[in-house]
Amino acid sequence: MPLLTPLRFSWRRLPAAGVPVKNLGLRKVASGASCPSGASPKAFNIFDRDLKRKQKNWAARQPEPMKFDYLKEEVGSRIADRVYDIARDFRLALDVGCGRGYIAEHLNKKNALETEIPTVSVLADEEFLPFRENTFDLVVSSLSLHWVNDLPRALEQIHYVLKPDGVFIGAVFGGDTLFELRCSLQLAETEREGGFSPHVSPFAAVGDLGHLLGRAGFNTLTVDTDEIQVNYPGMFELMEDLQGMGESNCAWNRKALLHRDTMLAAAAVYQEMYRNEDGSVPATYQIYYMIGWKYHDSQARPAERGSATVSFGELRKINDLMSQGKKSQ
């Protein structure tokens, strides 16, 4: 069963007004259908998407779900900053995996107009976006795409629905996310049970993202990394927050249960190896931010090889002459 994730349309810097659904460019896409932009023929089935849907639904039904939103709020703010770094208005935007609208919330805060950015929410699967080609000026996604089984296909779908000269700005968890938790569980399980199973979901490597974006058809790529460190009273409080975020492990090869003494040993290892001076323990969230543009003839292109009129050696001489001039002044 595909995971149905909230997708949110937004119109930036436009007055609130009703927009006919026919203008959204909806198209029907059946699960398993071929992707117009050429999806990968065989995707790895790493995650139990049905379980992930249940985890997110459970988290959303908790009495105070917003107390677990601190990480998604922060990353949503940083995505919004990157949107506003681009000096242009985006008339129609799509937020893939919007959740409670963490990006839109911060775009509204920065919006010069008094009215909020009007939005429409749709349930869909990231790997089968139900929109026509060349529909959106901007696509954003924050901490959602790390749960798709076929990331190349998801990126190809995003590229497909973007207009030429449209831009995709996304954020996913990086490979060093929760390394403290991963290491503590592995050490404790190895010592108590003679081996270990993966308890933290696998994440993409930063070197892979640029390749995947290029393969999906994006150009003028930017991939950068950041780390957010959050301190918790202990390992169990961290795991409680991960559950409240809907970010528990859902890999097929996960171990369903850990023995109580193994969990207690892991918490002790965590404290011993990583504790802060005040007794709290840190958890590191590595975030990869990626930006890619859909090709348009108006975009700047690199000059052809061999077309340069000045060599690097001549540039070095000019630099030396300028340095000598400054010294003589």
Side-chain angles (χ1 to χ4, degrees):
M1 178 184 295
L3 174 64
L4 296 181
T5 303
L7 308 178
R8 180 163 294 185
F9 307 101
S10 66
W11 293 266
R12 182 176 166 204
R13 295 177 185 168
L14 291 179
V19 178
V21 174
K22 65 181 181 180
N23 289 342
L24 298 179
L26 297 174
R27 62 187 177 98
K28 294 182 179 179
V29 180
S31 179
S34 60
C35 170
S37 54
S40 50
K42 272 193 176 181
F44 290 108
N45 191 14
I46 301 171
F47 302 117
D48 183 345
R49 300 269 286 172
D50 187 41
L51 174 61
K52 177 51 58 182
R53 175 175 55 83
K54 293 176 181 177
Q55 290 174 350
K56 288 184 176 290
N57 288 342
W58 179 90
R61 289 194 299 266
Q62 296 313 295
E64 298 179 277
M66 288 183 289
K67 76 176 184 178
F68 303 109
D69 283 350
Y70 52 88
L71 187 63
K72 294 179 180 179
E73 291 276 4
E74 179 62 29
V75 177
S77 172
R78 299 184 185 190
I79 291 285
D81 288 340
R82 285 165 168 78
V83 172
Y84 273 92
D85 284 341
I86 301 174
R88 96 168 40 170
D89 287 346
F90 301 101
R91 296 181 62 84
L92 188 61
L94 172 66
D95 184 351
V96 178
C98 64
R100 273 184 281 275
Y102 308 104
I103 300 175
E105 174 188 345
H106 291 283
L107 289 176
N108 278 322
K109 290 178 181 178
K110 300 169 184 290
N111 191 13
L113 299 178
E114 294 182 359
T115 56
E116 288 191 359
I117 301 170
T119 61
V120 176
S121 295
V122 175
L123 286 178
D125 187 340
E126 298 99 327
E127 297 176 19
F128 302 93
L129 297 181
F131 309 112
R132 295 195 184 112
E133 187 177 12
N134 304 331
T135 298
F136 298 99
D137 303 284
L138 167 71
V139 176
V140 294
S141 179
S142 180
L143 301 184
S144 172
L145 293 176
H146 56 280
W147 290 122
V148 301
N149 277 314
D150 194 349
L151 183 56
R153 181 184 188 123
L155 293 175
E156 289 169 357
Q157 287 278 285
I158 290 171
H159 183 270
Y160 180 80
V161 302
L162 271 174
K163 294 178 181 178
D165 203 31
V167 61
F168 166 59
I169 305 176
V172 294
F173 285 120
D176 286 340
T177 294
L178 299 176
F179 72 87
E180 304 96 339
L181 177 62
R182 184 187 299 112
C183 183
S184 300
L185 288 170
Q186 288 179 355
L187 289 174
E189 192 174 9
T190 300
E191 191 270 330
R192 295 301 173 98
E193 303 182 27
F196 65 87
S197 301
H199 298 286
V200 177
S201 296
F203 301 110
V206 66
D208 296 334
L209 287 180
H211 170 73
L212 292 175
L213 287 167
R215 172 180 163 182
F218 291 98
N219 60 65
T220 318
L221 308 177
T222 302
V223 178
D224 62 282
T225 181
D226 195 6
E227 288 187 353
I228 299 174
Q229 192 173 86
V230 181
N231 294 323
Y232 298 89
M235 186 190 80
F236 294 109
E237 288 79 6
L238 163 61
M239 296 180 74
E240 179 185 359
D241 275 22
L242 291 175
Q243 189 177 25
M245 296 176 193
E247 293 294 333
S248 299
N249 187 7
C250 71
W252 284 108
N253 64 349
R254 70 192 183 281
K255 189 174 182 178
L257 294 173
L258 275 173
H259 297 298
R260 181 174 180 273
D261 61 338
T262 302
M263 293 293 289
L264 293 172
V269 170
Y270 206 134
Q271 282 280 347
E272 181 64 28
M273 293 183 63
Y274 302 108
R275 70 173 178 267
N276 299 313
E277 292 183 359
D278 62 0
S280 64
V281 295
T284 300
Y285 299 92
Q286 186 178 44
I287 313 296
Y288 295 154
Y289 297 94
M290 47 189 165
I291 301 176
W293 294 79
K294 189 168 183 177
Y295 177 78
H296 187 267
D297 289 338
S298 65
Q299 293 173 351
R301 283 173 285 182
E304 295 183 6
R305 185 178 180 86
S307 63
T309 57
V310 180
S311 68
F312 283 108
E314 292 172 326
L315 290 174
R316 191 179 302 111
K317 292 177 182 178
I318 294 173
N319 186 56
D320 292 341
L321 289 172
M322 292 178 64
S323 299
Q324 292 175 7
K326 289 180 179 179
K327 291 179 180 178
S328 62
Q329 290 178 355

